[in-house]
Amino acid sequence: MQTSDPSAKAQTLIEALPYFQRYAGRSFVVKYGGNAMGDEDAAREFAEDVVLLKAVGINPVVVHGGGPQIGAMLEKLGVETRFVDGLRVTDKATAEVAEMVLSGAINKAIVGSIARAGGKAVGISGKDGGLVTARKVERTTKDPESNIERALDLGFVGEPSAVDTTIIETATAAGMIPVVAPIGTGEDGHTYNINADTMAGALAAALGAARLLLLTDVSGVLDKEGKLLTDLSPSDIAQLRADGTISGGMIPKLETCVSAVEAGCEAAVVLDGRVPHAMLLEFFTARGAGTLISASQG
């Protein structure tokens, strides 16, 4: 809500001051995607938020997805898409299109948005500067008739096996905001498409980030009555998964959060990217705006 009351604006800044001081010089890794990325107004607000973070001394690192855009380009180019157990199989042709869309069109659009908001961004992928070494994702599936587990080959789908943050640290020290496409090179020399949440979690852990932020299309983690759960620990998440409170696509997101927190990230947040300036509400107000996951609740 906009206000013309100068004292209200001053009060907002005073409320934010302890958070500016607490996070100055720290890294925030933000996974950006979903509906927010396709909406012009939301994209502009996101860029403004990222530029503000940089302006107050925080080092934001943006990791973006692009599944829908990859699917649209595959269809446009007539490249057949095959799914196994709901997961896209990434053959060589699909991997080439994914890299073109992620490292090209989407990455540079975000860099451009940040530039228009007054920031300096640099677009990279996990390939640049040896940022991310990938390994092939191994998945299994059960045969419904025999109940026997068998290997699932998803092609050139990878996950980070090693992270070298030199290029990110160099860019942030030069006043740049890194915008990272989730692509990596394997030790076998092949290019691998990496899930953007997984990529963001790996970078947050390697950077010892103050926050990993996963922007989603939901308000956060909800209880069985649909109420927002504002603070969770890894043991809370295990319990909520066991009793069925969390399910579906939220499970891998929370697994990413727990892995990042256990590997050196201070805390992770699942946040509704559709809410205007949700990042600023989460970081710089006492009430917060999403679900915060930390090693110890609170």
Side-chain angles (χ1 to χ4, degrees):
M1 180 189 293
Q2 291 191 346
T3 177
S4 57
D5 181 359
S7 64
K9 290 180 179 178
Q11 187 58 44
T12 299
L13 290 171
I14 290 167
E15 183 181 354
L17 179 59
Y19 302 97
F20 292 163
Q21 294 170 324
R22 176 179 175 184
Y23 297 126
R26 300 292 303 280
S27 295
F28 282 7
V29 177
V30 185
K31 186 277 179 153
Y32 176 51
N35 292 340
M37 198 162 67
D39 180 88
E40 195 173 315
D41 289 338
R44 186 190 68 253
E45 289 172 352
F46 173 80
E48 290 169 350
D49 290 359
V50 168
V51 171
L52 178 60
L53 292 177
K54 188 69 175 176
V56 299
I58 292 163
N59 294 318
V61 177
V62 178
V63 179
H64 63 83
Q69 293 89 335
I70 293 169
M73 183 58 75
L74 289 169
E75 188 175 340
K76 186 176 181 180
L77 296 175
V79 178
E80 185 180 349
T81 303
R82 190 163 62 89
F83 290 87
V84 178
D85 284 3
L87 300 170
R88 189 198 305 272
V89 176
T90 303
D91 58 16
K92 191 167 180 57
T94 303
E96 289 172 352
V97 171
E99 182 171 20
M100 176 179 72
V101 172
L102 291 167
S103 297
I106 296 175
N107 189 275
K108 301 316 170 193
I110 298 169
V111 168
S113 292
I114 292 171
R116 286 190 293 276
K120 291 183 178 180
V122 57
I124 60 175
S125 78
K127 285 184 166 184
D128 294 301
L131 175 58
V132 172
T133 303
R135 61 172 167 249
K136 184 181 175 71
V137 164
E138 303 290 343
R139 292 285 185 270
T140 59
T141 186
K142 275 189 178 179
D143 186 293
E145 294 181 6
S146 65
N147 213 31
I148 294 173
E149 292 257 347
R150 63 180 176 83
L152 199 61
D153 189 354
L154 298 175
F156 296 102
V157 176
E159 59 191 5
S161 60
V163 178
D164 180 345
T165 58
T166 303
I167 190 169
I168 289 181
E169 290 161 2
T170 301
T172 56
M176 302 286 183
I177 298 167
V179 178
V180 185
I183 298 288
T185 305
E187 291 183 1
D188 56 9
H190 290 302
T191 296
Y192 286 91
N193 189 13
I194 300 169
N195 175 275
D197 288 346
T198 305
M199 183 84 153
L203 293 184
L207 287 165
R211 288 290 185 272
L212 163 65
L213 182 66
L214 301 184
L215 293 180
T216 66
D217 295 335
V218 294
S219 56
V221 182
L222 308 178
D223 66 16
K224 288 185 175 178
E225 283 71 50
K227 294 178 183 176
L228 180 68
L229 297 168
T230 57
D231 294 276
L232 295 174
S233 68
S235 59
D236 294 331
I237 290 169
Q239 179 59 42
L240 291 169
R241 183 173 178 177
D243 68 17
T245 301
I246 56 172
S247 59
M250 187 57 74
I251 290 175
K253 285 187 183 299
L254 291 175
E255 286 177 344
T256 293
C257 291
V258 170
S259 295
V261 166
E262 291 180 342
C265 177
E266 190 177 291
V269 184
V270 177
L271 191 62
D272 191 344
R274 301 167 299 180
V275 174
H277 302 296
M279 273 200 295
L280 302 187
L281 293 173
E282 171 59 34
F283 293 140
F284 302 130
T285 65
R287 61 189 172 278
T291 300
L292 183 135
I293 296 99
S294 58
S296 58
Q297 188 175 330

